[in-house]
Amino acid sequence: KQWSVHFWLQSKGPDTALPFYPPDSTLAYALPEFGVSMPFRPTDFTQVNHQINRVLVERALRLLDVQSTDRVADLFCGLGNFTLPLATRAAEVVGIEGSPALTERSLQNARANGLDKKTIFYNRNLFECSVQDLRLLGRFDRMLIDPPREGAMDVCQAIAELAREDPAASPKRIVYVSCNPA
């Protein structure tokens, strides 16, 4: 209690993780620059260093240079780590995630932060992405791509093909966040 340590137990798979102490434990991290709080479960992926995460989000958004009229895509959106801060600046943000549980959690986080009217979430496998898939999502002014370690080759190839076929339909700016630059 002195150190505010929370214990959760997981008896089987990820869905069995439940708070043990305190029994009403809730986990969340904050992105104060954007006025956002991000509830999460211990089995969800989060950046382990919250201070670095704050710098990462601020830097990525600065590089993306989002305008208030922009429609932005956040590919591999997870819990909404970038989606919700983007929604504080853009007209609309579309978060796309392959995990149904994380897609649902993103929507819950958007609602909890009052950003659900500026966000849309889709559950899609971005490891199998074509130019037609991108076209179905509509035109984006900006894109943020934050894939897992294995990268986003299909997404990048689809964006390149879109730019070759119809330069006006491709985003003006793309920021790719990676823990594996190779």
Side-chain angles (χ1 to χ4, degrees):
K1 188 173 183 177
Q2 175 185 352
W3 299 102
S4 300
V5 173
H6 292 223
F7 291 92
W8 286 59
L9 300 178
Q10 182 177 333
S11 60
K12 292 187 182 168
D15 294 339
T16 66
L18 296 170
F20 176 71
Y21 178 84
D24 59 348
S25 175
T26 56
L27 304 172
Y29 64 91
L31 295 168
E33 180 178 340
F34 304 98
V36 171
S37 176
M38 302 292 294
F40 67 94
R41 294 183 50 82
T43 54
D44 293 338
F45 174 82
T46 61
Q47 298 295 333
V48 293
N49 185 321
H50 70 279
Q51 293 169 323
I52 293 297
N53 187 55
R54 288 177 182 171
V55 172
L56 177 67
V57 171
E58 186 278 325
R59 174 77 172 173
L61 267 66
R62 188 166 13 105
L63 289 169
L64 204 53
D65 192 28
V66 175
Q67 305 301 308
S68 61
T69 56
D70 285 342
R71 184 169 189 257
V72 181
D74 179 8
L75 306 182
F76 303 93
C77 72
L79 292 168
N81 188 54
F82 291 102
T83 315
L84 300 189
L86 284 165
T88 68
R89 298 192 174 169
E92 180 180 64
V93 183
V94 177
I96 303 167
E97 171 57 46
S99 162
L102 288 178
T103 304
E104 180 59 33
R105 195 113 56 250
S106 296
L107 178 58
Q108 291 168 358
N109 287 346
R111 286 180 184 140
N113 284 279
L115 295 168
D116 51 314
K117 298 218 183 327
K118 295 180 77 177
T119 54
I120 300 170
F121 296 95
Y122 294 111
N123 179 242
R124 300 279 192 280
N125 178 0
L126 291 169
F127 293 110
E128 297 175 5
C129 182
S130 69
V131 71
Q132 293 81 9
D133 295 327
L134 291 181
R135 287 185 190 282
L136 288 173
L137 293 168
R139 188 182 167 285
F140 294 102
D141 300 293
R142 317 232 182 243
M143 278 188 181
L144 187 130
I145 307 169
D146 181 22
R149 193 170 310 278
E150 55 267 27
M153 185 57 76
D154 276 9
V155 167
C156 292
Q157 289 173 337
I159 293 168
E161 186 178 334
L162 180 65
R164 280 191 302 274
E165 290 177 6
D166 185 3
S170 61
K172 295 177 217 163
R173 185 167 289 199
I174 299 168
V175 170
Y176 188 115
V177 177
S178 178
C179 62
N180 183 5

